[in-house]
Amino acid sequence: MKLFKLSLVFSLIFIANTTSAQSTFDKWPAIKEFHEVMSETFHPAEEGNLAPIKARSEEMMNKASQLLKAEIPLEFKTDAIISSAERLQIKSKALHKLVQSNAADVAIVKSITDLHNTFHEIVGLCSDAKK
């Protein structure tokens, strides 16, 4: 019974976070587009497959740049979110430069992990902004 309750609690937390992210993605298409590239490159990199990020680092950089060029929904247009989006853009350029220069895999994984954390920071700030 305790296991069932614990599973239920984790499921509800997951659903709440997923619903929050989905509505953020619905309201801000540019963050959704960035997320698509991030998820298709970061998760393979976590498992040691760097081919996707090596092939798509320029696309990732361009999607990060679009975040600041595209219309940001008013509720997300806070100093903290804009600052984080600017850092995302800078970090995505740095990642692309690492890929272009054939940097060591460990450096690329470190860079995409940092970029992934910054992305989640933005999504968290968007959730906070909606409250």
Side-chain angles (χ1 to χ4, degrees), residues 2 10 26 31-32 37 41 49 62 68 70 86 103 114:
K2 286 184 181 181
F10 283 125
D26 291 340
I31 197 85
K32 180 179 181 180
V37 178
T41 57
N49 178 5
N62 291 337
L68 295 169
E86 288 170 347
D114 188 34

Side-chain angles (χ1 to χ4, degrees), residues 75-76 78 81 124-131:
E75 67 188 290
F76 303 144
T78 66
I81 292 172
L125 289 168
C126 288
S127 294
D128 291 346
K130 289 189 285 186
K131 292 179 182 174

Side-chain angles (χ1 to χ4, degrees), residues 14-113:
F14 176 77
I15 290 168
N17 285 338
T18 302
T19 302
S20 174
Q22 286 176 342
S23 62
T24 297
F25 294 161
D26 291 340
K27 292 177 181 180
W28 193 3
I31 197 85
K32 180 179 181 180
E33 290 175 16
F34 180 85
H35 176 255
E36 289 172 2
V37 178
M38 173 59 77
S39 67
E40 293 170 2
T41 57
F42 174 71
H43 298 297
E46 281 184 302
E47 298 174 7
N49 178 5
L50 299 183
I53 190 55
K54 288 180 178 181
R56 298 180 74 186
S57 65
E58 183 174 14
E59 180 183 6
M60 176 94 75
M61 178 183 68
N62 291 337
K63 297 292 183 185
S65 178
Q66 283 300 106
L67 284 178
L68 295 169
K69 292 178 183 173
E71 174 118 10
I72 300 172
L74 189 57
E75 67 188 290
F76 303 144
K77 212 171 203 176
T78 66
D79 291 342
I81 292 172
I82 291 170
S83 176
S84 293
E86 288 170 347
R87 282 197 326 278
L88 191 82
Q89 184 178 21
I90 291 165
K91 290 177 182 186
S92 68
K93 284 181 183 179
L95 172 60
H96 181 58
K97 285 182 183 179
L98 286 173
V99 170
Q100 283 184 313
S101 68
N102 294 314
D105 287 355
V106 69
I108 293 171
V109 170
K110 184 175 189 266
S111 182
I112 195 170
T113 300

